[in-house]
Amino acid sequence: MPRAGKKASALPAPNEDDSNVVFGDPKAAKYGSKGNTGGGPAKARYKKLDRRGIVDRQTPCEYALRTLSKTKVGEARLYDGNPLRIINTGRILKPLQSKSPEGFSSMVILKATNPKTKETIVLPPFKLPPSYKHITVQPTAVEARHFAATYALFRVCSMRNIHMMLPPTYRDLWKKEFQELKGEDVRESRGYMYEADPFAAKLEREEAQALMTKKREERERQKAKETEQPANLLAASSANGENSNRNVTKGWTKVPKIDMGKRTRAHVEDVVRRDAIWNPHGAIISEFQRRNIVNEFTDLGFRRSHAEEAAEECKDREEALEWVLIHVPEDDLPRWSLPGGYIAGVSMASANLKREASVKRLAEAGYSLDLCARALDKHEGNESLAAEALQNALIGLDDPLSTTDFSNFRLTESGKEDSTWTEEQETLSAIFGDRFKRVSLDLYHVQLQVPHFKNPCTLAIMNTKLYPQTPPVIWLDSPGLPAYIRLSTIRQLVERASAELLGEPMIFNMVDWLENEIPRIVENPGKLREVSAAASVHRPTQPTQNQSGLRARRQPARIDWNPGNHRSLDNLDRWKAKQNFPQQMNMLASRKTLPAWRLQDAIVKAVNHHQVTIISGETGSGKSTQSVQFVLDDMIQRQVGACANIICTQPRRISALDLADRVSDERCSNVGDEVGYAIRGESKQKTGVTKITFVTTGVLLRRLQTSGGRKEDVVAALADVSHVVVDEVHERSLDTDFLLVLLRDVLVSRKDLKVILMSATLDAGVFENYFSGESTVARIEIQGRTYPVDDYYLDDVIRMTGFSTGTQSGNIDNSDREDMDPSVASAIQGIGMRINYDLIASTVRAIDSRLGSQEGGILIFLPGTLEINRALDAIRTIPNIHALPLHASLMPIEQKRVFPPAPRGKRKVIAATNVAETSITIEDVVAVIDSGKVKETSFDPQNNMVKLEEVWASRAACKQRQGRAGRVQAGKCYKLYTRNAEAKMAERPEPEIRRVPLEQLCLSVRAMGVIDVPAFLGSALTPPESLAVEGAMDLLGRMNALDGDELTALGRHLSMIPADLRCGKLMVYGATFGCLEACLTIAAILTVKSPFVSPQAKREESKAARISFAPGQGDLICDLRAYEEWSQKRGSSSYRDIRLWCDQNYLSTETLNDISSNRSQYLSSLQEAGFLPSTYQAAIQSSLNAHNSNTALIRALIAGAFNPQLARIDFPDKKFATSISGAVELDPEARTIKFFNQDNGRVFVHPSSTLFGAQGFVGGSVYLSYFNKMATSKVFVRELTPFNVYGLLLFSGPIALDTLGRGLVIDGWLRLRGWARIGVLVSRLRMMLDEVLARKIEEPSLDLGNNEVVGLVRKLVELDGLDR
């Protein structure tokens, strides 16, 4: 007989009911396992216990593996076809088997018992989800049990190859259906179901869930505690002194304080109550949420009726809280929402004491002071008429400020008694006794006796001429009773008298009604809106929401592909005639020498028979110039030339301009006729005439983005386009990848649209795979280039020039120099990894000497404009050199200077960035000097840092640079790096979409009607990091460009302006607030750079000159004022005087000109977007520039545009010094002032800033905005602008209310001490400003110069909320 534990004894008997299998403990047979017929104990053993009591035991998976490993060959048959024999280890429980019409199904349950505690763990049944029911149901009970055992075995041994021991049926289930199910579970975070030890996994999950429950309960308790605290905060403070709320105010004592002048606040309240939109979409709060809101607000100290009205009016809790804080009068607000030291009522200061006394008497009824004053003035100081007008407005009869004739309501003339009025007075005096008091002939008071009402109440009654045909004028005086409740009481009383008591003496009945109804009214005063007419100058209205959106451009007509129409025939006739022109024949002969010409038929055939054609070929093969002409000529010959509208995109402006010139020349036509171009701010094309248009990629994207805001509009925007050619796709720029995503979607709807992708590298496979899913794709490879190019590496260049540095640099790879001449190796060591400008100059000198009298230019590739300037400075020392720069910042006219030949007797040398790598041809270049470096943007989404770094170029880019020397003749390429360095370069650059911020891209995608932006970008050729997309969407929300998933009015504006989002936002604000020219200039400065230069030897003098233009106002304001002064001088002074003035003030004339050029481009963009009239002139549109000199406003707008790039200024504790006049506050030392931002904590002012070392900040500024952040030894911020708290409140992130009464929290991290009501008013004012922007986008000609909301915002920022 086998011993316990043998495999044979662990097998179930052949006839055993094994429909439900359970893992047992090692002593299962001993502890009540009578049903076990397996003949032995289970193999799951416990060696030692941890706090759970089940550690270090054999898992079900280990047991199954051990059982199989000990199986003899003869015994293996016992397992074949019987998974139960592998999984079963102990006793068998009552079967869990079910039968249905489809068949039988079974489940397995595993359990384990702690041998010491006797605690048994039973796992839930192992069953498949309902979607797998089709494989669960088996024809027989035995097969169902085997299926269940196989699935249970998979659950604990899926990471093993046990399935190899199973029969084919179960083996297939294991490899296919079970693996698919596991994959689904893992994706849904249910991977714990497949642990080898399911018992330990179960306990770990229970512990984790218990911990989460505990934390959640702690949070709920803390929240409940905080909710309860406001009601008791004031009482606790009064009873226990200041220390009672020490913990509550921790961290709030040093934060800036927010305040608002009384008159300003009254004005803002009037505007908000009148025009603010509440719950614009009519959302209805559920009954459960409504009940919670009412209970919470009641606990916070609001009246239940107010809370109920707010829940009825608003869409959610946050809006309801704002609603009550605005609409509940100040004297009825909870104490926590009031500022410290608040006293109800507003004092007035006036030189007219009589008028002031009258206004105060009128206001005693509960009407606002401002309303009383205006009513009194309207009626020329007649207090009685003003009182009647106010009461009529309260009950809705008339507006107190209207021009209604009040003659019918005049009082009885003074000194003449009305018999009815007099008799009623005598009767009332007899009834009320001492409670009745006659003040004058027409006025008396009655003291009310209100049961269970502690406060004294007095009713004042004033006669009118038509009494008792109309109610008298009344008001209620009760100290401590909120004004709006008194107004509500008066309203209800007058309405009842008007309905039931007219025509007879009514005062007694009115008094009686009041004494009975006041407690009810106090408990439920009615809707705040019913008495709000008396609370403000204007009656509140609920304006309709402005449902503004992008105005769709007029969509082009679809192409008529019918051949042979008269326009197509005219095109054919002109084309045939041109073929016989001598000039055309010469051009044709030149074109035939290009490698692309040999594949003309193949290219045309591929384009005609496929939706997408990928053409790859080396630089100089003619793909960019010839392919589009092949397609056009074919269409003309097929008599469909009228349908041709070929758009060819280029990554850079200079490429589009150059290709338009070259292709026009080859077709013997003028630019703008058959061949044209369109770049930002400039275009030459004729509708219906131009057949090939070279555009920058951004221009085509703009056309799609502004098509209407829906996906269908994007398709319709290309309705008249026959071919889209995307050149230089291998560069993988952000715009190109974005365009490819759009084109792939458009091709699904536009089967007649042809897309041609052109790449200078032979890596077309990735593009083919991208498009092949939905479209047919063809590939064409153009072999060879026009002329050969010889390569020379760094060691060759050193030998050629004899260059020597005389020094050595470390950390350089020596593997290249093992067999070199020692002097060459020493020179390479001395050069190191940096760019050596002396070597560049020596190389130019050596090339010039080698070429001798042979004509030909030299092209130098450098990473950036700074390196270009330094190289040109070194090269200009060489005689007979015509040196020129070439980079993207130059104007097109300056870029074109590189194409003509050099002056006679000089050699042209061009120092360029990578803009010269592709698409452009400089005819006379015979030599290329390649530094091997490039400036590349990198973005870290985790800390939101952007870096522009100098890095090695990719091998693909270097190959492009090499090809520039072989475009028109054989050439040479001098590589200022070693062969080993080239081998270590990346094959191709990383796509830009993965290394730049994505805010502009995400906004553009959303503006085209795409709701799920992350999913859209996930379909890109190379999807961006999800973290970068999430960060971009979050930033758009914080910039107020998105509200949830919806575009705001500001977001719609920004999506149409081709500029950095921050610059675009600044320009929109400038046009809105009347300082457009100033904001245009600042945006251009940020795009170019500061016009100030800072020589190494005169940095302090340069900074002093910069500060002198706007002391203490920040870097950008200094630059702005300097540019404005230069601009004025340019129109009135000579060039020599301007140059001298610039030199004296350390200003760069070239940079100032660049700024002026960029201003013009931005102005054109605003006009194209419809934000400005096409006839805009600064002198004529004065309302757009009325506030260009308002520095405080401009600083606030800069802060709003840069949000959330803000830093908090942390001042040290104040110090004082004694003087003759008393204690004088000392300015803090600069080193004691600290700066903090949200992402990095403490940051530091860059030494180049005008605010570096500042001891104070202008206008009470307590925050800084910054445009750039850079990390070196510290995190520095640059382009700084100080601003005040209202700049933060009005233009920063969302405003949250602190219900403990401490103040406001802005954007989740910036705290302000102050009145919660101010935060709510500003928050609603911001929403109204967004509505103003929405109207502006609908009506571009709308003049906002006199807009009330814009004026209020401007005043708040300029005066920091004060009244002066």
Side-chain angles (χ1 to χ4, degrees), residues 229 256 355 373 636 883 929 968 1292:
Q229 196 166 5
R355 176 181 179 276
I636 292 174
I929 301 174
V968 293
S1292 186

Side-chain angles (χ1 to χ4, degrees), residues 10-12 18-24 42-44 59-65 67-68 79 82-92 108-111 126 145-157 162 166 174 196 198:
L11 297 174
D18 51 10
S19 60
N20 185 61
V21 182
V22 181
F23 255 105
K43 290 295 180 179
T59 66
C61 180
E62 291 170 343
Y63 175 76
L65 292 173
T67 300
L68 290 172
Y79 298 99
N82 192 349
L84 284 171
R85 298 180 182 273
I86 302 176
I87 193 64
N88 191 15
T89 65
R91 62 186 179 126
I92 311 298
V108 170
I109 296 178
L110 300 185
K111 78 170 186 178
F126 284 4
R145 291 196 295 271
H146 286 307
F147 175 88
T150 304
Y151 178 59
L153 190 62
F154 179 80
R155 285 282 295 269
V156 297
C157 296
I162 294 179
L166 301 176
W174 187 293

Side-chain angles (χ1 to χ4, degrees), residues 1088-1093 1123 1148-1156:
V1088 182
K1089 62 179 179 179
S1090 170
F1092 288 92
V1093 294
Y1123 174 86
S1148 166
T1149 306
E1150 293 77 9
T1151 305
L1152 288 166
N1153 283 315
D1154 288 344
I1155 293 169
S1156 178

Side-chain angles (χ1 to χ4, degrees), residues 11 71-82 85 165 167:
L11 297 174
T71 302
K72 299 178 182 178
V73 176
E75 294 175 336
R77 295 192 306 272
L78 296 174
Y79 298 99
D80 293 342
N82 192 349
R85 298 180 182 273
M165 301 293 295

Side-chain angles (χ1 to χ4, degrees), residues 736-754:
T736 299
D737 277 10
F738 183 21
L739 180 60
L740 293 182
V741 179
L742 294 175
L743 290 176
R744 189 171 71 162
D745 290 344
V746 170
L747 286 173
V748 176
S749 303
R750 279 283 313 276
K751 296 298 182 183
D752 60 327
L753 179 65
K754 306 294 184 181

